[in-house]
Amino acid sequence: EYKLFRRVRGPSRSPTIADQSKTIAYQPCDQTSSENPCSTPTSAQANSPVTKVVNKLENNILAGYQGWFSYPGDSRIDLNKWKHWFPTGSEPSADNLHVEMYPYMEEYDEDDLKETRMRMKDGRKAKLYSAAKPNIVRKHFEWMAEYGISGVFHMRFMEGIHITKNREWKTSVLRNVKRAAAMTGRLFAVSYNIAGQSLNDGVLDALMEDWKRLVDEEKITQHGRYIRHRKDGVSLPVLRIYGIGFKTVNVRNTEKIAELIDWLKNAPEERYRVFLVGGTPSRWRDLTDDSREEESWTGIYESLDAIHPWHVGRWETIEGFYRYFENVITPDAVHCEHLGILYMPTMFPGFSWYNLKKHSIPAPSMNSIPRLGGKFMWAQAYQYAAAPNITT
């Protein structure tokens, strides 16, 4: 027996959290109408199988979408590995499995799945999927539409992107995301990850060149479902960079980071300009804990258009979240409002990496931050929806 949890699909519904002024799950209402303002949705809207989404950052729920699972033979650009399912070079068996949950597989096309050496209780071989398959990504976006998730920040990991095959595989998944967003009415934007252990300050130049490639060759910002946000009356494509200012990230040259931020916001070629979201440490404001402590980082953080702190694991219980919300998140949101910066807190459903780290010493506990049947995440969503300084 291997320690997995099976995702069970419940009845179709679009959960909504509302207060007197806003709805964060989706925006099917008319924001200019006094008859149907953006508050509690009508019963017809709440029961709609597909929620409509306005293309902007405010009043939307955006998920992080890695799209990093693969299997040998999944595409023309074959990485020949069970990426993120099992360790590279290992057998696809239960003893080697990295993930905590066995995914719900019943709605995928059989042709898009690959058998492993794991077996289900009824003796069938367990199958897994790859994000290189367009139908797999489309199905994920269909589920998002069904359950009222507005769209995604699609993660573009910079580690290994200089290798042509890696870059082409990642770009093929991005194309799948583009098509799926168009088919389902979801939103998407690119989110670079500069936190890889092999990366250093040189990754900043590589990121600039990759963004040019996505804009010029993939026409990424011309896509109708690419997230845009208005700043000073101008509609700009949204770009997120995760890994800015973390103690554990090797990208630390603030002068080079400032140059990249300035270029992304003020590039001579207007087509490269963006509304820039920084994926920052949770303690960015006071330069403690997970943030680098040099004063120059304050200028970096405050030069961003939006701040999206990494909150995963910063609380382990609902009561812990309430304390953290009061002591850290609320002051962060007030500070950002004062600076004219959009503040985007993180929700997470729980946490466990027992299977990934079970051979570590000491090994982590299983289900280290329990989901509590959804109550853990719901508490966060409810609190964010009620906060006057938080709009996304």
Side-chain angles (χ1 to χ4, degrees):
E1 291 285 329
Y2 45 92
K3 295 178 173 63
L4 291 175
F5 300 94
R6 189 170 186 272
R7 179 180 181 271
V8 178
R9 300 263 291 159
S12 174
R13 65 190 184 280
S14 296
T16 303
I17 305 157
D19 64 9
Q20 294 180 349
S21 63
K22 70 189 177 203
T23 303
I24 72 166
Y26 61 99
Q27 286 292 351
C29 47
D30 182 354
Q31 299 196 51
T32 64
S33 169
S34 59
E35 297 180 357
N36 183 28
C38 291
S39 57
T40 305
T42 66
S43 59
Q45 291 165 347
N47 294 322
S48 172
V50 177
T51 56
K52 297 178 182 179
V53 178
V54 176
N55 191 345
K56 60 177 185 175
L57 281 175
E58 292 115 325
N59 296 333
N60 279 318
I61 288 182
L62 300 170
Y65 189 77
Q66 277 92 348
W68 59 11
F69 291 107
S70 71
Y71 59 68
D74 60 4
S75 64
R76 176 184 60 82
I77 312 163
D78 184 10
L79 298 179
N80 194 32
K81 62 177 70 173
W82 292 90
K83 190 174 182 182
H84 288 281
W85 292 119
F86 306 96
T88 299
S90 69
E91 292 185 353
S93 64
D95 289 340
N96 295 324
L97 192 65
H98 272 175
V99 301
E100 299 291 289
M101 291 185 175
Y102 183 70
Y104 179 80
M105 306 296 289
E106 302 305 316
E107 295 183 28
Y108 297 125
D109 294 338
E110 284 293 316
D111 291 343
D112 290 327
L113 306 177
K114 190 176 181 69
E115 288 184 346
T116 69
R117 296 191 179 184
M118 301 185 297
R119 290 194 178 273
M120 309 301 288
K121 285 187 176 181
D122 62 6
R124 290 179 299 138
K125 287 188 176 180
K127 299 178 180 180
L128 294 171
Y129 62 77
S130 167
K133 296 294 187 181
N135 290 338
I136 297 294
V137 177
R138 189 199 71 223
K139 180 55 66 177
H140 295 161
F141 275 68
E142 288 176 354
W143 287 341
M144 284 188 273
E146 182 181 355
Y147 286 94
I149 296 175
S150 310
V152 302
F153 281 110
H154 175 48
M155 306 301 166
R156 193 164 175 87
F157 293 87
M158 289 301 295
E159 195 161 40
I161 207 167
H162 63 286
I163 301 171
T164 301
K165 178 177 281 191
N166 288 345
R167 184 175 65 251
E168 290 182 351
W169 192 91
K170 293 175 184 184
T171 302
S172 74
V173 176
L174 177 58
R175 292 171 187 154
N176 292 343
V177 167
K178 289 165 56 178
R179 285 190 290 266
M183 294 174 70
T184 60
R186 300 303 91 190
L187 303 174
F188 76 100
V190 170
S191 177
Y192 283 107
N193 186 312
I194 61 173
Q197 290 301 303
S198 68
L199 301 176
N200 54 37
D201 294 321
V203 73
L204 302 174
D205 294 330
L207 188 155
M208 180 188 294
E209 293 307 311
D210 190 72
W211 179 242
K212 290 180 180 178
R213 186 183 301 111
L214 293 185
V215 171
D216 294 337
E217 298 178 13
E218 298 297 321
K219 312 296 182 186
I220 192 77
T221 57
Q222 297 179 33
H223 194 282
R225 303 310 296 171
Y226 194 90
I227 303 173
R228 304 186 72 87
H229 193 79
R230 297 190 72 84
K231 181 180 181 182
D232 300 328
V234 178
S235 176
L236 294 167
V238 172
L239 180 68
R240 178 177 179 265
I241 302 176
Y242 171 81
I244 297 174
F246 286 81
K247 281 182 179 177
T248 55
V249 174
N250 297 323
V251 182
R252 63 188 73 183
N253 187 322
T254 52
E255 291 184 5
K256 290 201 67 172
I257 294 174
E259 289 173 3
L260 176 63
I261 292 173
D262 180 68
W263 181 82
L264 287 168
K265 295 173 65 174
N266 304 296
E269 303 93 336
E270 290 187 12
R271 66 185 184 277
Y272 300 133
R273 296 180 189 174
V274 303
F275 183 89
L276 186 59
V277 179
T280 69
S282 61
R283 302 308 295 267
W284 61 275
R285 180 170 46 86
D286 50 13
L287 304 179
T288 59
D289 294 346
D290 52 351
S291 173
R292 291 190 175 274
E293 299 174 1
E294 297 84 357
E295 288 294 332
S296 56
W297 284 101
T298 294
I300 296 298
Y301 298 141
E302 295 184 356
S303 69
L304 299 165
D305 294 315
I307 286 181
H308 182 194
W310 181 249
H311 288 139
V312 176
R314 301 306 183 260
W315 52 85
E316 299 181 351
T317 63
I318 293 175
E319 293 74 18
F321 164 69
Y322 290 144
R323 290 192 297 270
Y324 196 95
F325 182 86
E326 179 180 357
N327 296 329
V328 179
I329 293 176
T330 296
D332 277 359
V334 171
H335 186 63
C336 282
E337 185 178 43
H338 174 73
L339 294 172
I341 295 173
L342 183 66
Y343 183 69
M344 302 171 59
T346 302
M347 290 191 298
F348 67 101
F351 186 79
S352 180
W353 57 5
Y354 174 83
N355 283 329
L356 179 65
K357 300 284 188 176
K358 60 188 174 186
H359 298 301
S360 302
I361 300 176
S365 60
M366 187 179 180
N367 197 24
S368 55
I369 303 180
R371 294 175 176 239
L372 304 178
K375 293 180 181 178
F376 182 79
M377 192 170 187
W378 179 260
Q380 300 165 57
Y382 186 88
Q383 201 77 4
Y384 291 159
N389 308 106
I390 295 173
T391 59
T392 193

